[in-house]
C-alpha cells in the first residue's frame, strides 16, 4: 500500500482557500490531477494496480477514543496531528522494491513553486498483511 499524506492546510490550498499555505492556482491543481491520473493509468496498464482512494479533508474526521472506559468522539482536524492519511494506492507487484520504485515516481507530482520545500513531501510504502515481504 502506498500511503499519501496531507494536512488540512494542504486540502485548503488545493481547494483555492489561502491560509497557512498559499492557494494553488487552478492550472496547478489540474496539472497535479493529470499527473496522478497518468500515474494510475500506467499502473492499470502494467497490471499492478489493485485499488486507490482519496480521503475527505481532515476537517470531516471523527476520532473515537476512550476516557475512563467511556467512548468519546472528537471532531477533526486535530492540532496534535498535522499530517494525516490523504489517500492510498494498492499495488500488486513483484517485490517491495518495485512498490518503492512506483511510489518514488510520485516525487515528480507537479506543484506550485510556493507550495513549500521538497522535504515536506513524503509517502509511505507498507506491505499489506500476508503480502510482500515476510512479516516480523
Amino acid at each position: 500500500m502506498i500511503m499519501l499524506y496531507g494536512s488540512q492546510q494542504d486540502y485548503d490550498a488545493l481547494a483555492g482557500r489561502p491560509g497557512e499555505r498559499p492557494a494553488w492556482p487552478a492550472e496547478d491543481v489540474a496539472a497535479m490531477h493529470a499527473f496522478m491520473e497518468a500515474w494510475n493509468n500506467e499502473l492499470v496498464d502494467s497490471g499492478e494496480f489493485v485499488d486507490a482512494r482519496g480521503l475527505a479533508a481532515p476537517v470531516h474526521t471523527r476520532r473515537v477514543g476512550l476516557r475512563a472506559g467511556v467512548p468519546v468522539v472528537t471532531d477533526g482536524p486535530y492540532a496534535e496531528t498535522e499530517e494525516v492519511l490523504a489517500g492510498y494506492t494498492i499495488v500488486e507487484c513483484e517485490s517491495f522494491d518495485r512498490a518503492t520504485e512506483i511510489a518514488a515516481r510520485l516525487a515528480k507530482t507537479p506543484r506550485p513553486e510556493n507550495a513549500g520545500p521538497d522535504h515536506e513531501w513524503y509517502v509511505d510504502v507498507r506491505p499489506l498483511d500476508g503480502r510482500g515481504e515476510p512479516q516480523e
Side-chain angles (χ1 to χ4, degrees):
M1 176 181 283
I2 299 167
M3 296 176 282
L4 299 93
Y5 294 89
S7 67
Q8 184 63 49
Q9 293 82 20
D10 294 325
Y11 280 87
D12 290 344
L14 285 167
R17 292 187 299 270
E20 289 184 33
R21 300 206 171 119
W24 281 39
E27 60 272 7
D28 289 329
V29 174
M32 183 202 62
H33 285 293
F35 176 89
M36 293 302 295
E37 182 178 1
W39 182 78
N40 276 308
N41 287 339
E42 288 174 18
L43 294 173
V44 170
D45 292 344
S46 72
E48 296 170 305
F49 180 86
V50 175
D51 187 29
R53 293 295 294 238
L55 301 176
V59 71
H60 301 293
T61 302
R62 287 188 179 153
R63 177 170 290 162
V64 180
L66 287 175
R67 286 194 195 132
V70 177
V72 176
V73 178
T74 307
D75 289 332
Y78 311 104
E80 69 273 11
T81 306
E82 182 175 321
E83 299 292 325
V84 296
L85 186 65
Y88 67 87
T89 299
I90 298 175
V91 295
E92 181 83 39
C93 52
E94 65 188 37
S95 67
F96 191 63
D97 288 339
R98 173 64 182 143
T100 303
E101 289 173 16
I102 291 168
R105 293 192 329 223
L106 291 170
K108 294 184 180 188
T109 304
R111 56 195 228 146
E113 288 187 26
N114 63 359
D118 290 338
H119 69 271
E120 291 181 5
W121 176 91
Y122 65 91
V123 298
D124 288 336
V125 181
R126 186 172 172 182
L128 297 175
D129 191 22
R131 298 181 186 222
E133 297 292 311
Q135 303 296 308
E136 295 184 28

